[in-house]
Structures are given as C-alpha cells and as structure tokens.
Amino acid sequence: MFLATGIYALFISSNYWERYYTLVPSAAAIGVAIVPFWASMGTYVTRMAHKYYEYAHYREEHVQEQRRAPRGASAAYIVVFQSLFYGCFHLSFVGAQMPMLFFLNDYLYKFNHTLDGVTHCGTLSKGTLAGLSTTVLQSLPRSASLIVVESVLMAAAFTAMLLVLLLCGPAHRPTEEIDLRSIGWGNIFQLPFKHMRDYRLRHLFPFFIYSGFEVLFVCTGFALNYGVCALGLERLASLVATYGAAAAAGSALALCALRLRRRVPLLAGALLHGALLVTLFCWAPEPRTPTQAPLLHALAALWGLGSALNKTGISIVLGELYEDKERQDFIFTIYHWWQALAIFGVYLWQELPMKAKLSVLLLALAVATGAYGWMERKVARRVAHRLPRIPRPRHRVRGYRYLRDDDSDATGSEAGGDSDRDVSCDNKDDSDHSGANEGDGDINGSRDKDGATRGNVGLRERPVAATRTPEERGS
C-alpha cells in the first residue's frame, strides 16, 4: 500500500513538467501498481475486521488461545469495515473535483461555444461526444497557479503515504504469515488464477467484469455524452461530485446486511442499475439545455447509489465466503485483476454507438445477477467447493516460535489438521538451559481440510540428548 501510494505521488509530480516522456511512464507505473494496491487494500480492510472482532471478544476462549474463530463470527465487522472504507473512498470523487470547481472553471468557455458542433446527445450519440470543440480554454492558467494546485495534490499524496506508514499496523500475527517468497514466484502468480476452480469465484466473475464496466462508463459515457452534452463542461465537476456524494451515502446503506441477508445490497444495486440503464437507453437529452440539470444530477446520484451497493456488496461477499486469511490476498487479487481488465475493455469501445455500450452493460449485468443468484443457491445447498492447495515452503526459514504447548503462540489454524512434530530438547541441566533455549526447535506446517498449508515455519533443531545416560554424556 505504501509503495503504490508513492507511485500515485510520482504521477502527480510528473505534472510539474508535463511532457510525453514524463506523463506516459508515470501513467504506466500506475497501471502496474493499481491491482496490487487495491488487492492489498481489500485484504487489509478484511483482516482489520477480523482483528477488531478479536479485540471486541478478547474474553472468548478461542481468542485467548489464538484459535480460529467460529465461521461467520466476524461477518458483522466485515460489513461495517467495508462500508466505512467505501464511504470514505467515494468521497474522494468529491474532493477530486475541487480544483475544477474553484480553479479551472474560470478559464473554460461557456457551453454555447464548446458544444456548438454537437448535434446528438445520450442514446443517439456515437463515440465520445462527437462535435465537442477542440478549444475549451479561453486562456491558459498562470504557471504559478498551476504549481499551487499541483502542490496541494502532492501534499495530499505525501500525507496518504505517511498515514499508511505510521498508522497502519500489521494485518497478521507473526505466526499467521506465509513466506510467499519461499513457495516460489511461479506459485505466487498462479495461485490467484487457480482459485478460479472454486465455483463461488467463477459465479462472481461476471460481477467483477460489470464492476469495471460501470465505474468507467459513468465517468466517460454518462458524464460526457449525457451530462456535458446537455450542460457543458462547466457543469462536469458538479455532476461527478454529485455521483461521489451519493455513492458515499450509498455505502452506508450496505449496513443493511447487518440485519438482512448478504445478497440484499448487491442485488439491490444491480436492480437499480438495471432500471437506470433502461432509462438511459430510451432517453436522449437535448444539446445545450441547462434546464435538464436537475434530472441529470438525479440520475448521477442514483447511479452512485447503485455503484456503492455494488462495490461494497462484492467486498462483503468475498470477505464472508473466504475467511481463511492466507487466501484473501489471492481472492482480492483476482477480483481487481478482472475489474482492471474490464476497465481496459471500456476504453476499447469508446467509438461505439451509445446504444451498443448500454446493451453490453445490460447484458453483463443480467449475466452477473443470474450467476450470483445461482451461486448463492449452491452455497445454501452446501455444494462442496474446490480450493487449490497452497504449497509448502521449499526451504527452511528462520524466526522465533515457542515449542511448549502452554507457551505456544500458534493460532488455531496452525494447530488444525496434522499435529506439529514433537521436538526433543536437551534435558541436561534443565535449571540452567530451559529458559535460554525455549525458542529453539523445528516446527512443520500443518494442513487443513482444504489442503492449505498453515504456518509453515522451519527453525533450527536442538541436538537430541534426552535419551543419553550420564556415562554416555561424560564420554
């Protein structure tokens, strides 16, 4: 998270000297970092929900003994944490419009000039707002003003880096971490895709695709071909800010999953988006008609509400279905990988007619809703799912672990399955050496029912001398 935030800061800094050779490499760096960044964010928020459950229920026996919590015990905390996270995230859409609202709008031509060549809007349009004037600025902003704006953005980026570095604590105990380097880089890149063998993830795959489609469509297709086409560029910032504010409020509505079934937020967002897509498919606003502003802002707010239920609902479902902490990295990676691929696909269809774009979105939404409903039905019938085995480490790693059961800090997931191998310690002069050598030994990872390896840790073995007689020791 810290490194990816630094790459975002790098992209912002490239705008101090905006040239092809500065903007394109920094944009490519963001593309490389965006999936690891969002995957780590999703995993971190979910893990923090688990840790807060342990904090709130510290008197429970399984928490004190560091064993695995009962299945579904952290579900309520996952709902709350994901709702809070996406509420704060969607507020960033509002903050991102501040430079345009308070700075750039003063330099824009009015809509009568910028939209002079536009003849069709909405469902009748084609491409990305055909006919938009190529000259949208009355004059160039002063360099000093641009530097001030860029400096504010850089300050926000550095603040985010410091917050991640200073305030974000570890998401795992030392005994819960998996040494990914020790299982091989090939396995690291294969495991996210191997998890697609699980029918639950395959049935959620269409929702991953639609999630990428809709978030970019509202920022390009809807905002330009509907909003800007009717209201002008000077109203674009207010339209996107309305979307962000409504999405932030909609994330709070996902808290209804505390009282209702987890499928309710996701299906409610899908139903709302379906109704909006049908409306957009049948409506073409008149170009250069500011009187349509209330209707367009209402549509933007409703779309933001559906987007919030979509994003929050998917993260809640993934957090509840995959409670095994060593699998969450792979699950959120595959989710955001498919989402990023779908966003790339939206850029490829920019020149299609609006009716074709809306048809693709409607088809993707229908398939996603049906597949998710079928997945929930199979889960309710307790259909067995298939998960890939996480390989054991290929080499020994050094670290601290306690050997005695009453002193062990191993979690319940590490204690499940095969029992750890007992290690004999030297009993010679226990009063002198037992405390000093308590942490030495060798512990092998155990395997759970899914075949997943837990707590694979290798340490030095003590020489076995407990069976020697005093004569043998003297010799």
Side-chain angles (χ1 to χ4, degrees), residues 187 189-198 334 386-389 391:
N187 286 321
F189 292 111
Q190 292 176 21
L191 279 171
F193 299 97
K194 286 183 177 179
H195 278 80
M196 291 295 291
R197 300 170 182 172
D198 186 354
I334 201 67
R386 181 185 179 190
L387 289 173
R389 181 181 64 86

Side-chain angles (χ1 to χ4, degrees), residues 133-418:
S133 175
T134 55
T135 56
V136 296
L137 293 177
Q138 301 179 27
S139 60
L140 293 176
R142 296 178 58 188
S143 297
S145 301
L146 290 175
I147 291 174
V148 170
V149 174
E150 293 295 334
S151 299
V152 171
L153 295 177
M154 280 297 297
F158 280 121
T159 302
M161 293 177 66
L162 290 176
L163 289 176
V164 171
L165 185 64
L166 300 177
L167 300 183
C168 291
H172 301 80
R173 298 192 190 98
T175 52
E176 295 173 341
E177 294 178 355
I178 298 176
D179 189 355
L180 294 180
R181 296 170 299 176
S182 65
I183 67 175
W185 287 104
N187 286 321
I188 292 175
F189 292 111
Q190 292 176 21
L191 279 171
F193 299 97
K194 286 183 177 179
H195 278 80
M196 291 295 291
R197 300 170 182 172
D198 186 354
Y199 73 84
R200 299 174 296 178
L201 209 57
R202 290 200 306 270
H203 284 69
L204 284 171
F205 159 73
F207 250 123
F208 301 162
I209 298 297
Y210 176 75
S211 179
F213 282 169
E214 63 91 7
V215 70
L216 197 63
F217 170 78
V218 72
C219 294
T220 56
F222 173 77
L224 295 178
N225 291 60
Y226 285 85
V228 172
C229 187
L231 308 178
L233 276 174
E234 60 269 26
R235 302 296 292 274
L236 174 62
S238 64
L239 203 65
V240 177
T242 302
Y243 164 82
S251 299
L253 291 181
L255 293 173
C256 67
L258 294 172
R259 298 294 182 184
L260 304 175
R261 296 184 178 182
R262 68 185 175 208
R263 66 174 66 98
V264 172
L266 197 54
L267 294 180
L271 182 63
L272 181 57
H273 271 188
L276 290 173
L277 286 171
V278 172
T279 302
L280 295 177
F281 192 89
C282 302
W283 181 52
E286 292 294 329
R288 302 174 297 278
T289 312
T291 56
Q292 299 175 95
L295 179 57
L296 286 167
H297 281 80
L299 290 174
L302 290 174
W303 192 281
L305 179 61
S307 294
L309 294 174
N310 176 285
K311 297 284 189 298
T312 312
I314 291 177
S315 296
I316 289 172
V317 170
L318 291 177
E320 293 185 4
L321 289 179
Y322 298 93
E323 294 184 337
D324 295 338
K325 46 192 169 292
E326 70 274 9
R327 298 190 182 275
Q328 289 169 359
D329 287 308
F330 306 121
I331 297 302
F332 281 98
T333 296
I334 201 67
Y335 164 38
H336 291 290
W337 189 85
W338 283 116
Q339 188 181 56
L341 197 63
I343 290 174
F344 175 72
V346 175
Y347 281 113
L348 296 180
W349 75 26
Q350 288 300 314
E351 298 305 317
L352 291 178
M354 181 57 65
K355 287 184 180 293
K357 299 176 184 178
L358 294 172
S359 299
V360 172
L361 281 170
L362 273 171
L363 179 61
L365 181 61
V367 172
T369 305
Y372 174 69
W374 183 247
M375 185 272 290
E376 288 287 6
R377 182 180 178 183
K378 294 175 73 173
V379 171
R381 293 167 56 190
R382 300 184 181 277
V383 177
H385 53 269
R386 181 185 179 190
L387 289 173
R389 181 181 64 86
I390 297 180
R392 292 176 180 269
R394 294 179 179 175
H395 60 79
R396 295 180 183 272
V397 294
R398 296 182 181 274
Y400 75 90
R401 292 297 185 272
Y402 298 103
L403 298 178
R404 298 182 180 179
D405 291 338
D406 54 343
D407 293 333
S408 177
D409 61 352
T411 61
S413 60
E414 291 176 331
D418 300 335

